[in-house]
Amino acid sequence: MHRWRALAAAAICALSASAAAAQNRPDQRAFLELYKELVETDTTLSAGSCTRAAGQIAARLRAAGFPGDAVVTFAPPDHPREGGVVAVLPGSDPALPAVLLLGHLDVVEARRADWTRDPFTLVEEDGYFYGRGTFDDKAQGAVWADTMIRLRPLTPRRTVKLALTCGEETTFAFNGAEWLTRTRPDLIAAGFVLNEGGGGRYGANGRPDMLAVQIGEKAAQNYTLTATHSGGHSAQPTGDNAIYALVGAVQAIREHRFPVSFTATTRAFFAAMAQRAGAEIGEAIRRLLADAGDAEADAIVSRDKTLQAALRTTCVPTLLSAGHAENALPQRATANINCRLFPGETVEGVLDTLRGLAGPEVVVTANQPIRPTAVPLAPDPAILAPMTQVAKRHFPGVPVVPMMSAGATDGIFFQAIGIPVYGVPGMLIDGDMSGIHGRDERIRVKALYAGRDYLFELVKVYAGVR
């Protein structure tokens, strides 16, 4: 009996899903095909191919009428699976600097054994799309490619460019965004970049709680701690082996708290949060805005890991390795320390701090590649105003809040050559981060379509399309 009920329930769900799909507008169905193909193309570093995904996007752009020279695919010979695609839709007014739509094709590793569903099959279930990259960053990548296709029959005043690249999710592999800014700056030249990093979130009530526009970000940098010792037989332990030295250094880093810092963006963000948070945290935020050295207020605000990450540089151990045999004293112990540097903080400055914390027994080095220093970005009202105005039509009553990303994106490479980057609002996430970088990554179906509609209208405004 239970089996028949389960089968009936499954059939009803399938019919409901089919009915919902049938009700989609033709343009939504075309978008879903593009999105599905992108999600189901494995673009992990270990086994996937961004080059294949870039080729699929290029084929769709060309089929939509983009001439051959307007779509450029690239894959360096020494990185044949880590390619990308750039497309250009010329505007009618060459005096207007281009807008660049930036996204990344690569995704974080995903093992089938860890997931409830196949991570590389797009599954619609209970109002969500599941799959690796459904949110980060194939939702936005698909929207950007779809936006270019929808703009193609129109005549924008401003040139619109698209760059979908590989390597954003790693620091040790080829990075297509960095390669473009270094070797083909002419191809991606723009007045400003629209990127991931913003978005928004749903509240506990299931309704949009706020929209976020990212203005600036931290810089990701890894450091290595290395402790060495002469070793010996484990039957004759000493008090100074390599693991002890490494553990002491890691503990010192754990206990260290970098000083509170603010940019114009984070001040605006915290001022908005002070109005929305509870009485205790709201008052602590106001105190901290008045005095960044208020340790008591800092302790209260920092209970929230999201707020704490927006206040300062952070460093945390992410990898450990030690020893060479179970019955021998360790001769070597290492730890990777992943730091997220607050804008204005330098790789060398943090290196000096880590060396001071680790002490003389532990060698601290900055890992290659060394990313550009994050710089504070002055908010441009001409860029921000359309985001707010369009949001009023698509998300009425939902505030647009400026924020700095505590993570890192490929936007930092464009900022390094003087092109401002904004993480766009519109793509809303659940409060638990929707499984991004974890298992069972997902996005609400309504969030994907609502974000698509918002972002298309936003780009039309920037492009001068009526």
Side-chain angles (χ1 to χ4, degrees):
M1 189 67 175
H2 293 301
R3 179 173 178 272
W4 286 109
R5 286 178 180 172
L7 288 172
I12 290 170
C13 288
L15 287 171
S16 299
S18 299
Q23 292 173 5
N24 285 350
R25 304 188 310 257
D27 64 289
Q28 289 177 324
R29 291 197 293 271
F31 165 71
L32 183 58
E33 291 176 4
L34 187 161
Y35 178 63
K36 176 180 171 65
E37 181 179 56
L38 194 54
V39 171
E40 295 188 348
T41 301
D42 184 348
T43 53
T44 58
L45 180 63
S46 63
S49 174
C50 289
T51 302
R52 181 185 174 201
Q56 292 167 346
I57 296 295
R60 288 180 178 273
L61 293 170
R62 293 186 180 112
F66 280 80
D69 60 352
V71 181
V72 178
T73 57
F74 60 92
D78 51 342
H79 296 278
R81 294 189 295 112
E82 296 164 52
V85 58
V86 176
V88 180
L89 180 61
S92 61
D93 187 350
L96 287 175
V99 54
L100 173 66
L101 313 180
L102 176 65
H104 64 89
L105 296 167
D106 60 313
V107 295
V108 170
E109 301 291 334
R111 297 193 308 165
R112 177 65 185 91
D114 295 337
W115 281 56
T116 306
R117 308 157 191 84
D118 182 349
F120 299 107
T121 297
L122 184 67
V123 175
E124 182 178 352
E125 186 178 309
D126 298 329
Y128 286 91
F129 286 126
Y130 287 87
R132 174 57 88 220
T134 47
F135 206 111
D136 185 17
D137 184 37
K138 290 183 176 179
Q140 189 159 289
V143 167
W144 286 154
D146 172 74
T147 294
M148 296 293 282
I149 291 170
R150 296 168 77 187
L151 286 175
R152 177 69 184 87
L154 308 176
T155 306
R157 286 189 61 213
R158 185 193 300 272
T159 293
V160 182
K161 298 183 178 182
L162 167 73
L164 299 179
T165 62
C166 200
E168 196 272 350
E169 297 291 7
T170 60
T171 59
F172 54 85
F174 171 78
N175 185 287
E178 187 274 338
W179 183 85
L180 285 171
T181 58
R182 178 171 47 83
T183 67
R184 294 297 308 274
D186 57 314
L187 190 59
I188 48 82
F192 59 101
V193 173
L194 302 182
N195 188 29
E196 64 170 338
R201 73 182 184 198
Y202 287 105
N205 58 8
R207 294 194 293 269
D209 179 54
M210 72 169 186
L211 294 165
V213 51
Q214 177 188 319
I215 309 173
E217 63 183 68
K218 288 183 170 181
Q221 181 61 46
N222 289 289
Y223 299 84
T224 296
L225 309 185
T226 304
T228 57
H229 189 266
S230 59
H233 201 292
S234 62
Q236 297 179 338
T238 63
D240 61 349
N241 82 44
I243 290 178
Y244 292 155
L246 183 70
V247 167
V250 170
Q251 183 63 24
I253 292 170
R254 176 187 182 184
E255 294 173 355
H256 179 73
R257 182 169 285 183
F258 285 82
V260 170
S261 296
F262 290 106
T263 66
T265 295
T266 60
R267 279 193 174 277
F269 167 75
F270 277 103
M273 292 305 296
Q275 302 299 318
R276 306 175 65 80
E280 182 186 26
I281 295 181
E283 177 58 28
I285 289 174
R286 284 185 280 270
R287 287 169 51 190
L288 207 53
L289 287 169
D291 177 11
D294 188 330
E296 183 181 27
D298 179 11
I300 294 171
V301 177
S302 293
R303 292 174 194 163
D304 184 310
K305 65 180 182 181
T306 300
L307 299 181
Q308 190 271 149
L311 285 173
R312 54 170 52 84
T313 290
T314 60
C315 291
V316 62
T318 54
L319 297 169
L320 295 171
S321 177
H324 61 284
E326 65 181 16
N327 58 353
L329 300 178
Q331 297 173 3
R332 183 181 182 87
T334 64
N336 184 84
I337 305 297
N338 180 262
C339 296
R340 305 300 173 119
L341 280 57
F342 198 88
E345 190 85 71
T346 66
V347 172
E348 295 75 15
V350 173
L351 178 61
D352 288 342
T353 298
L354 294 179
R355 282 173 172 166
L357 294 168
E361 292 183 296
V362 177
V363 175
V364 186
T365 55
N367 298 3
Q368 295 294 329
I370 293 177
R371 293 166 73 94
T373 298
V375 296
L377 178 63
D380 184 347
I383 305 299
L384 300 182
M387 294 182 181
T388 302
Q389 293 303 315
V390 175
K392 289 179 180 178
R393 294 191 287 274
H394 289 261
F395 304 96
V398 181
V400 178
V401 178
M403 58 162 283
M404 176 198 69
S405 174
T409 75
D410 281 339
I412 198 165
F413 299 112
F414 291 84
Q415 292 180 182
I417 62 171
I419 305 177
V421 180
Y422 295 86
V424 289
M427 205 71 74
L428 274 70
I429 197 169
D430 288 350
D432 65 354
M433 294 292 288
S434 296
I436 288 178
H437 288 206
R439 70 176 187 177
D440 297 335
E441 183 179 349
R442 68 192 187 279
I443 186 172
R444 298 191 189 205
V445 174
K446 65 180 181 181
L448 180 66
Y449 288 121
R452 171 182 180 255
D453 289 342
Y454 169 81
L455 291 172
F456 178 60
E457 184 175 346
L458 181 66
V459 175
K460 282 175 64 180
V461 172
Y462 290 131
V465 174
R466 300 298 179 187

